[in-house]
Amino acid sequence: MTSNKRIVLSSDHAAIAMRQAIAEHITAKGWEAVDIGPTSPESTHYPTHGEAAAKRVASGDCALGIILCGTGQGIMMAANKVKGIRCGVCSDEFSARMIRQHNNANILSIGARVVGESLAMSIVDAFLESEFEGGRHGTRVDMITAIEG
Ligand code: RB5
């Protein structure tokens, strides 16, 4: 894995408590959590937060990202509009491992209204502990990148 240990975290209002718990969890594991909020429980718009996190990863400021909204779906869609981002929603550990190993995902999205906190931590661990395998998977990821133009 890269020497960059910075993980950007963002969410909308539906996932603030889970995002903050994940930030604490990954900090305890030696990552640098770059939590860009929001902290207010007021209703907000997930595309803003998905784009902001995605730009931190696309620019290289952060190695990886973890984003959350109620379902994980809307914020994932926004993040994937940023060039260079490969983000998947995961509700299980297997998928979180696979999106790193096979798809070279650089952002994990979680639905705070879908999974409980304990499962969310296991999903995060599976994502951060996995490495891209390259090889035939590299060919396919390059094909995704080519679609970006
Ligand atoms: C907000 O109520 C909710 O729509 C949002 O968190 C998310 O689930 C959208 O995909």
Side-chain angles (χ1 to χ4, degrees):
M1 177 78 202
T2 166
S3 58
N4 182 350
K5 302 286 282 180
R6 287 164 62 79
I7 310 292
V8 64
L9 296 109
S10 76
S11 73
D12 71 359
H13 55 279
I16 291 174
M18 186 175 282
R19 191 195 75 233
Q20 291 172 336
I22 291 172
E24 275 184 34
H25 177 79
I26 67 171
T27 300
K29 298 227 163 196
W31 298 93
E32 182 183 347
V34 180
D35 187 346
I36 60 171
T39 51
S40 160
E42 275 169 44
S43 183
T44 182
H45 304 301
Y46 58 79
T48 307
H49 306 293
E51 180 185 11
K55 285 184 170 170
R56 294 290 189 116
V57 174
S59 71
D61 175 41
C62 295
L64 296 168
I66 300 170
I67 59 179
L68 307 94
C69 63
T71 59
Q73 302 290 353
I75 200 164
M76 173 273 290
M77 292 178 197
N80 274 323
K81 295 296 182 188
V82 175
K83 197 168 181 176
I85 294 305
R86 290 174 301 279
C87 175
V89 181
C90 294
S91 301
D92 64 278
E93 289 177 49
F94 177 74
S95 299
R97 207 169 292 120
M98 286 300 110
I99 64 167
R100 287 289 301 132
Q101 291 179 357
H102 287 191
N103 313 119
N104 202 14
N106 45 18
I107 301 188
L108 167 68
S109 183
I110 296 176
R113 294 174 178 161
V114 179
V115 300
E117 195 168 294
S118 169
L119 177 54
M121 300 308 162
S122 302
I123 291 167
V124 165
D125 289 343
F127 181 75
L128 295 181
E129 288 165 9
S130 300
E131 298 276 351
F132 182 48
E133 290 176 359
R136 69 185 190 282
H137 304 298
T139 304
R140 294 162 187 163
V141 171
D142 288 346
M143 290 170 73
I144 297 175
T145 303
I147 296 168
E148 291 178 336

